[in-house]
Structures are given as C-alpha cells and as structure tokens.
Amino acid sequence: MHAPGHSLQIPLTRRLLPLAWVLAVAIALIMVLTWGVLQVQVTLAGFLNSESVWSKAQKQAVIDLDNYATTGAPADLAGFFDNYGLLEADRRGRDEVMAGDYDEQEIIKVFQRGNVMPAARPGMTFMMEHFGWAPHMREAIAAWRSTDAPIAELHTIANELTALYQVGGPTLAEIAAKRARIQALNAYMAPRTNLFSVEMVKGALLLGQLLFWGVLGAFIIAAMVWLGMARRILESIRGSEERYRLLFDSAADAIVMIDEGSGRILDVNRTAAAWTGRSAKELIGDRYVHLFLQPLAGQQAGRAATNMLLAADGGSRPVETQTSIARWGNVPVCQAIIRDISERVAMEQERRVAAEALASIAEGVVIADAQQRITSTNAAHTELTGFSSLMLQGRQLGDTRRLPDGRALPKAIWDEVAAGGNWTGEVLSSRADGSTYPEHLSLSAIRNAEGHVTYYVAVCTDIHEAKANQRRLEHLARHDPLTGLVNRAEFERYCSEAIAQAERERLAAVVLFIDLDAFKIVNDSYSHAIGDRLLVKVGERIRRQLSDGDVAGRIGGDEFTVLLPRLSLREDARAIVNRLLSTLSEPLVLDDYEVVLTASIGVAGYPLDGNDASTLIANADAAMYAAKTEERNAFRFYTPMMHADNRRRLQLATELRQALSRGEFQLVFQPSIELRTGRILAVEALLRWQHPERGEVLPGEFIPVAESLGLIRRIDEWVLQATCAQIQTWDLAGMPPIRVAVNISARWFGHPSFVDGVSRTLQSHRVSPHRLLLEITESAMLRLGDDTQRTMQTLDLLNIDVAIDDFGTGYSSMAYLKLPAVTYLKIDRSFVTGLPGDANDAAITEAMLAMSRSLGLITIAEGIETEAQHEFLLRAGCIEGQGYLYSYPLRAAEIQALLSPNQTGASAKLRLVPPKRG
C-alpha cells in the first residue's frame, strides 16, 4: 500500500508466536543458569562458613588440650571435648552424606551445630553427595579427610592425660612429650585446613565460570535462533504482502481503500486508476465522493448500490459499489469494491424494450427457456390467469396447463415444436385462484445461430365463453333449472355408472335421500318465492359439502339426492351425512326472514341395499322416512327391518331413563398432546354407557335418543359433576394440573341455569375455572341465538375458557370467534382425515390455522391417526392434537398412572397406540 503512516494490518499473531516461545525459553534458561550461579555462591559461602567454624574448633581443641597437658585443669579438658565433638560430628555427617546413606534430620543438627546458614545447607548436601568427585571438590574433601587421623590422635592424647592426672599427675618429661605430639599434630593439620579453603574457592570459581559461559552461550544460541526465525517470518510476511499487492492490482473490479474518519482515499488498485483515467498518486488523498456523479448519502456498508463512476475525460460508466469496514493497524478503513455493470445495464435496457413490446400484445404471451422453464409473461397473461410473471418464473410451462382430458402436455408436442413446426390446440389452463379455463394455445420456438432452441413462445387465448355457451345448453337438458343440481334422469344415470364401477372394483356406491323437515310450513308461511330461494340455498349448501366425484340432485319438491361413489363401505358415508345435517340446520337469511330448517336423511348403498339405481333411491327414501318418523334432523341407514329398529329405539329410550339412576354412565379421557413436544397438555372427558346387557354403548347411539327425550341436560350435568370430582381426585393424588375438556349440548348451553350450574359445580369441588374447558359446537351456539353473547360474557367473567367444537362443519360464522371466553378452536376430524393428500382439506385446514393465529386462538385438531397428518398439522402451526395416533380414550386410573410424577422412562412423545401405517 502507498498510504503514508499506515501499514496494512496483517494477522501476525500465529506467525510471531514461535518467536515469543523461543524468547521465553531463552529467558527461562538464562534465569535458571543465573539462579545456579547464585546457588553456587550461597553454597560456597556455606562451605567457607563451615570451614571457618571447623578450623576454629580444630585450633581451639589444640589449645585446650595443650593447656590441659600443662595445668591439668578440668575446664581445659571440657573445652577440648566440646570442640572435638563438633569436629567429630562434621566428620560423621560428611561421610554419611557422601555415602548417600544419611538421616536428613541428623544432618540438619550437624549443620546447626556447625552454625551453617540455612540457605546453604541444600547446596552443600547436594555438592558433597553428587559432586564429591568434581575438580577441586575432590582435593578439598581429601584435605578434610587427611585431618581425621590427627584429630583422633588428639582424642587419644586427651584420654592418656586424663589417666595420668587421675593417678597423681604426669611428670614434666611426660608433659613435654605430650605437648610435643600435640604441636606436631597441629603443624600437620594447619596447612591441610588452609588447602581445603583454597580448593573450595577454586572450585567455586571454576563452576561460576562454567555457568557464566553457559549463560552467555545460551543467550548467543537463543539470539541466533530468534534472529533466524524472525528473518524467515519477515520474508514470509513480505511475500504475503507482495502476493496481496499482486491480487489487489490484478482484480477485475476497482478497489478503493478509504479513511473512515476523513473520507479520503488511502489506496487504489490498477483497475480503479484505469477506469477513472487518473494515476494512483493523483487519487490518493482525494475524497472518495468525488469519484461519483451521484451523492453517496444513505449507502449502507455491506449493501450494493448503483452509481455513475466519473472519468478524467468527463465520461462516466454505470457501476455497482459495495463497502465494508476493515482496520489498518488501529485505524478504521472502508474498503469499496466497484463493479462495472455497463453490460448489465445495456441488457436491462434491451429487456425493457422487449418487455414493453410484449406487454402491448392483447393476447397472453409466455416465454420459456430451452428446458421449458418460464422466464417471463406479459400483462395480458397476468390478467388472464392471475399469475404474475414473478410467480411463474422458473416453473415449467406445462405445470399450469393440461389437455382437456386432464393429462399432462405430451412430449410429442415439444418434439414437434423443436423439430421446426408450430403446435396449436385446446388446453385446460389454471388460474392463480385454483380455477381453470379452456384456452387456445399456440407454441413456437426461437433458435440461435446453430439452429438450437433457446426459447419457447406460447400465445394463449381464453375460449371459455364459447365453451360456456355450449355447456349451458347441455346443462339445461340434464339439470334442475331452479337449483342447478342434476335432475332425476341424470342422477339415475350417474348411479348406474357408479354401480357398474363399484361392481368392477369391489367397492360401494351410496345414495343419500334428503328431505327437508317442515318445508311445507315455510312455503305456506312465507311464499313460494321464498321457498324457491330456500331450495336454491339448500342445494348450494349440499354441494359445498361434497367432494370431487360426488353428485347432488333434486328429484322433486324439497327432496334432494346425493351419490357417493367409490366408497369402501356404506358406513363411510357417515361423516358427510353428519356434515350435511349440520350445514342444513344452520339459519338461512332470506330478505328480512331468518329461517331455520332441519333435514332427515336416508342412506342406502350398493351392493347391500340394492343392485340398480331405482332400488337404491327407493330404499334410501325408505330410510329417510324412518329417520323423519323417529327423530328428524337425523339420518338412517336402510335395513330391511326398519320396524324392528323402531322397537329397539323405544326400548333404548326406556333403558336410558334408568341409566342415570342406576349409575351406568362412565367417563373415559382422551389425551390432547402438544404437537411440537409430544407432551400431554389436557384430556377430553368422553361419556360411555356401560349397559348391563349390551355392554358399552357409544354416545352416537344414545345421545340422539337422550336429546329427543329431554334427558340430555341431566346427562350433561352428571358429566360435569363427575369430571370436576375426578379433577379433585387427581389433584389429591399429586397429578400435574392438566386441563380437562367437557362437551356441552345445545339444550343445556341454552338453559337459564347453565352458567350458575357450572359455577356451583366448580366451587363445590374446589376446581379452578382454568382447569375446565367447555366444548360447544357451532350448531349449539346457533340454536342459542341472541343469548350466545350474554352467556359467553358471563363465562369470560368466571375465567372459564370455551372451545368451538367441530369448527367448519356447521354455520362457520366468524362472529363466534370474537365472542368473549372463546379461547380454543377444534378442527373437526372430517378435515383431518384427508390430510395431507386431499388438497381441499389441506387448504381449509391451513386457512383455519392461519385465522386462529391471527385471532390469538389455540387450535386443537381431532382424529389424528397417521404420522403424515401429525407432521402436516405441526408444520401448518397447529398447537394441540387428539387421535388414535397418540392414544385411545383411557380410564381415569390409566391417565393418573400415565401422568404420575414418579413415572420414569417416559418418552418425549406419547405412544400409547401404534400409528396406523399405509
């Protein structure tokens, strides 16, 4: 870089780390050697101190013994033995240390007696034990040992003198002889004592010199190694800088380094100089903003922005700039990368012209690449299909188009166009809203210089009006003019085809016969015009509940028929029949009138109930009559023994009255789990009738009878009491405080004492309102009418949450979702069953989940039986789920065992029932 006073920050930490280690090792070695020198000095001082004491003791022993020989004074003899003891202890300690067999405490006592300073003791012991052979040390020890015999002889003389003084005293001749021997021994020891001191000093000097040269040598070696490594690292850094400079200058894009504080240019590469027509020296120091035509205000670091780069000759070029923050040393710098986009701007201009030309064409135009992937469409195509160009970009051209019979566009079409021809024909095209329309499609190809296809061009024309006119005529011949449903003849034709197909595939074909309850009263009360409009709305509601392939018809008056082909069993029609009953029982608003009707439905199926269309329709009519006679707003499957069924129903009604008093009702609980974690959050209380003779009777069989007899409110009250009592029992057992849901019938929900009864039950069992969730169907809320708002407000004041059950199967009023206390929304199993394969069920479910999130409602999906349904609902945002995938309904004791706090080894995801596969 050329920036004065700045150097490019290079990550040197890793490169310089070896230098730091070498320097640290060298310093450590020098410190160790220096410490060794100090230890030698301390040890030498110890030896010299010890020699001084030892020499004095030796001389004093000679003096005391000489005085004793002359005077015979006991004090002189005691002084001799005291000094002799010191000399003898030194000798013994010396021999033991040099032999390596010594007691450390005894040696310390010897050192203390010899007045050796503590700091020198370890060194003296170490030297005598390990280096007694060393030069000068060897001679010093030898001189010391040479005095051992004379000292021992002095001890002998002392003993002899002691003996002489004890028997009368020595003669003068004996005293002279003894003193002569003492002086001779002293003359022998004195030079050897001096020799010991001299040799110790020489040894210390030699060792000090060795350590000095060792320190100097270590320093020289470390310095040479350090300098060599530094040279190699600096060469590597210099090479890296050169390579960086080479890359910097050879970059295809212009690169400018700017001082973050002043905004002035610190460095540029060759490309920047070439594009601006100014040398690097001219650019460095100039302000970065001066390089562009447009101001740079608002440009953010890291984001690309377009501008015009100015040249010295007054020209400019379109560029894209992108900046990022870096640091040179401690200085923040901004690195700007400038990319030439002249070619891209030119191409965009050409594309804009082509796009404007394309947009001016009145017919829809689609352009796709050689792999038939859509690249662009014109405005007419967007208006025609609802798909924007961006929505279709990258998709196959044939994705939204099929042949009229539903097959994909065959490969032969593309082969024909690629071979040089054009293809025109009728296709079925899809719109963005999912609808389809007939389209006249013309396909051609654009080729390059080599004749290869580079683009396909499709011109689309909507022909639905012509097709609609044709279909309208055919429709009038086959459909009821009032409702638009198929007429009787067409319905019988559909039935015959469905029976033939069911016979081939060993399936069932089911006919539903629907008759409106009390329609004559509506006709008579309002008018036939209102009645006709009512029939139209009924037909629309029936159609909305049907799937693809199902057929609805009106065969006269208020009688409707529905064909359900390709069912596995006749009983599979139960779900759609329930949906029809629910939707037909919702209020109908006609002008200023609100009309509430119900319907009775009969069900007959091939092959059980007939082998031809007429028989199936007649038997379904008979089943409908049985439903209307027994209950209304109900359905019946055809059986040859309808009269026997009537008798059984009357018997069931009698037994049901006795069931409450006999305590034959029981509760089971089905867990509701958190889809994300598999954790049980709640249970739903489900009613079972344990009949003494028939065994377990399911609610679907006796609840309608209870409603018709007016017993349903008493049953609901019993269920609430039993549920709260069970919650209290669980709490006493220490079970986690889970939520418990209870289903509430329309009759009790609308009763004036409903809210008071719920409140009293909670209080009597000391159950928190948050522990209870009331599940109310849409139809129940509908029947309550204007009182719904007041009831919900009261429940909300009591902190009792409400769940709308079977949502989507009834009136589906959005107003219900805004009511106070409504906290949960339950997605009916009829929508879950088709997931994820059924596109309609998937779309409806996703819409309900999205709506629930927007309203802050918690969603619970019912009837989850497969892992695929679980994963779809989890991804779609459903919070909780129930179904046989997780657990069948369980008895209270089983729930308690499952959720007991001392349960161990429970898996993260509940698996009580194996999921159904396939």
Side-chain angles (χ1 to χ4, degrees), residues 659-886:
L660 275 171
S661 60
R662 293 177 178 177
E664 294 175 1
F665 287 116
Q666 296 178 355
L667 290 181
V668 293
F669 302 88
Q670 185 168 27
S672 179
I673 68 117
E674 186 177 30
L675 296 184
R676 181 176 59 84
T677 64
R679 181 168 58 93
I680 297 177
L681 298 178
V683 294
E684 181 180 1
L686 302 175
L687 182 64
R688 296 291 185 267
W689 179 12
Q690 193 64 35
H691 194 280
E693 297 177 0
R694 302 178 188 178
E696 186 174 84
V697 183
L698 296 179
E701 186 174 357
F702 67 85
I703 289 297
V705 178
E707 289 178 339
S708 66
L709 296 176
L711 295 174
I712 191 63
R713 184 169 68 85
R714 291 177 55 195
I715 293 176
D716 280 351
E717 290 174 341
W718 180 89
V719 169
L720 183 62
Q721 289 281 353
T723 299
C724 291
Q726 186 59 60
I727 294 174
Q728 188 177 33
T729 301
W730 282 339
D731 288 345
L732 293 174
M735 203 178 83
I738 60 173
R739 185 185 73 242
V740 182
V742 176
N743 291 282
I744 302 299
S745 68
R747 182 160 297 183
W748 192 33
F749 184 61
H751 197 275
S753 64
F754 168 67
V755 175
D756 290 337
V758 172
S759 179
R760 284 195 306 271
T761 302
L762 290 172
Q763 291 175 2
S764 65
H765 292 282
R766 298 179 181 178
V767 174
S768 169
H770 294 293
R771 301 286 301 283
L772 186 67
L773 177 65
L774 302 181
E775 293 188 1
I776 304 173
T777 63
E778 290 181 281
S779 59
M781 299 173 70
L782 176 63
R783 293 177 189 177
L784 189 58
D786 296 335
D787 291 336
T788 301
Q789 178 78 21
R790 290 190 295 272
T791 302
M792 287 296 184
Q793 286 177 342
T794 307
L795 291 174
D796 186 52
L797 291 174
L798 294 174
N799 294 320
I800 299 174
D801 292 334
V802 173
I804 298 181
D805 198 6
D806 300 336
F807 184 77
T809 62
Y811 189 62
S812 298
S813 172
M814 298 302 106
Y816 294 155
L817 303 180
K818 300 187 297 180
L819 290 174
V822 174
T823 309
Y824 294 80
L825 184 67
K826 299 197 72 172
I827 301 173
D828 188 68
R829 67 178 65 248
S830 61
F831 300 113
V832 175
T833 301
L835 298 179
D838 191 303
N840 292 330
D841 286 346
I844 293 171
T845 302
E846 288 176 338
M848 286 192 286
L849 290 171
M851 177 183 62
S852 299
R853 285 194 298 271
S854 300
L855 295 174
L857 301 180
I858 300 172
T859 49
I860 306 173
E862 298 179 308
I864 302 174
E865 297 185 0
T866 67
E867 289 287 350
Q869 293 168 355
H870 173 97
E871 296 300 329
F872 176 89
L873 290 165
L874 178 61
R875 289 194 303 271
C878 187
I879 306 301
E880 297 182 32
Q882 293 176 255
Y884 292 164
L885 176 64
Y886 315 110

Side-chain angles (χ1 to χ4, degrees), residues 390-469:
L390 184 61
M391 293 168 64
L392 292 175
Q393 208 164 56
R395 295 180 60 180
Q396 292 289 318
L397 195 150
D399 284 352
T400 58
R401 288 168 175 81
R402 293 287 185 269
L403 293 179
D405 59 5
R407 292 183 294 115
L409 299 183
K411 183 176 180 295
I413 292 177
W414 306 106
D415 293 340
E416 179 182 345
V417 176
N422 294 331
W423 183 87
T424 59
E426 181 182 337
V427 297
L428 194 64
S429 184
S430 300
R431 292 191 175 95
D433 61 4
S435 63
T436 59
Y437 68 94
E439 179 181 86
H440 183 270
L441 181 66
S442 175
L443 290 174
S444 58
I446 299 174
R447 306 173 188 277
N448 58 16
E450 289 77 22
H452 299 144
V453 175
T454 56
Y455 292 99
Y456 290 98
V457 178
V459 180
C460 315
T461 305
D462 184 4
I463 59 172
H464 78 281
E465 290 188 3
K467 301 285 289 185
N469 290 333

Side-chain angles (χ1 to χ4, degrees), residues 31 40 199 203 205 251 362 457 562 596 637 699 703 717 720 743 749 863:
M31 291 179 67
V40 168
E199 290 298 330
L205 292 175
V457 178
V562 172
V596 179
F637 286 100
I703 289 297
E717 290 174 341
L720 183 62
N743 291 282
F749 184 61

Side-chain angles (χ1 to χ4, degrees), residues 211-538:
L211 291 174
F212 170 78
W213 289 111
V215 171
L216 181 60
F219 173 78
I220 293 172
I221 293 171
M224 293 178 64
V225 171
W226 193 88
L227 290 173
M229 293 180 67
R231 180 177 58 81
R232 288 194 298 273
I233 291 173
L234 290 175
E235 289 176 354
S236 173
I237 293 172
R238 190 178 299 110
S240 298
E241 289 181 341
E242 291 173 355
R243 287 192 297 273
Y244 175 80
R245 190 71 219 187
L246 178 61
L247 292 173
F248 183 76
D249 281 334
S250 62
D253 297 329
I255 303 176
V256 181
M257 310 301 293
I258 310 109
D259 181 74
E260 181 70 7
S262 65
R264 297 190 178 277
I265 298 173
L266 301 176
D267 200 5
V268 297
N269 67 348
R270 293 175 183 172
T271 305
W275 287 358
T276 58
R278 301 163 63 186
S279 67
K281 292 183 179 179
E282 293 175 327
L283 290 171
I284 292 174
D286 194 4
R287 292 181 62 81
Y288 174 67
V289 296
H290 294 165
L291 300 181
F292 301 98
L293 178 63
Q294 300 168 3
L296 301 179
Q299 181 175 345
Q300 299 179 0
R303 291 192 176 183
T306 57
N307 212 318
M308 298 296 294
L309 183 67
L310 298 174
D313 58 2
S316 62
R317 71 175 67 207
V319 295
E320 182 180 77
T321 63
Q322 190 167 9
T323 59
S324 60
I325 303 299
R327 297 189 70 85
W328 286 3
N330 294 323
V331 180
V333 297
C334 179
Q335 176 179 270
I337 298 177
I338 305 171
R339 182 169 292 112
D340 188 346
I341 57 172
S342 301
E343 184 176 351
R344 189 173 78 189
V345 170
M347 292 178 64
E348 289 176 353
Q349 178 65 24
E350 293 177 3
R351 190 178 296 112
R352 190 178 301 110
V353 172
E356 290 176 357
L358 188 65
S360 65
I361 300 175
E363 294 178 310
V365 178
V366 182
I367 299 177
D369 61 15
Q371 286 73 41
Q372 302 157 28
R373 294 190 298 263
I374 296 174
T375 59
S376 63
T377 62
N378 69 345
H381 183 273
T382 300
E383 184 177 356
L384 183 63
T385 65
F387 287 112
S388 66
S389 181
L390 184 61
M391 293 168 64
L392 292 175
Q393 208 164 56
R395 295 180 60 180
Q396 292 289 318
L397 195 150
D399 284 352
T400 58
R401 288 168 175 81
R402 293 287 185 269
L403 293 179
D405 59 5
R407 292 183 294 115
L409 299 183
K411 183 176 180 295
I413 292 177
W414 306 106
D415 293 340
E416 179 182 345
V417 176
N422 294 331
W423 183 87
T424 59
E426 181 182 337
V427 297
L428 194 64
S429 184
S430 300
R431 292 191 175 95
D433 61 4
S435 63
T436 59
Y437 68 94
E439 179 181 86
H440 183 270
L441 181 66
S442 175
L443 290 174
S444 58
I446 299 174
R447 306 173 188 277
N448 58 16
E450 289 77 22
H452 299 144
V453 175
T454 56
Y455 292 99
Y456 290 98
V457 178
V459 180
C460 315
T461 305
D462 184 4
I463 59 172
H464 78 281
E465 290 188 3
K467 301 285 289 185
N469 290 333
Q470 180 183 353
R471 287 195 301 271
R472 191 175 297 110
L473 294 175
E474 296 174 353
H475 182 84
L476 291 174
R478 299 177 181 176
H479 292 77
D480 172 46
L482 178 63
T483 62
L485 304 179
V486 299
N487 55 26
R488 186 182 190 98
E490 186 68 6
F491 186 81
E492 290 184 354
R493 185 181 69 81
Y494 276 115
C495 284
S496 299
E497 293 177 355
I499 291 171
Q501 184 180 31
E503 183 179 9
R504 290 193 303 271
E505 300 180 7
R506 297 181 180 273
L507 297 173
V510 176
V511 172
L512 311 181
F513 199 102
I514 306 171
D515 185 83
L516 301 180
D517 299 328
F519 175 71
K520 185 176 184 303
I521 298 176
V522 175
N523 248 357
D524 296 341
S525 301
Y526 300 104
S527 69
H528 288 283
I530 293 294
D532 287 345
R533 292 170 59 190
L534 178 64
L535 292 175
V536 172
K537 288 186 174 292
V538 168

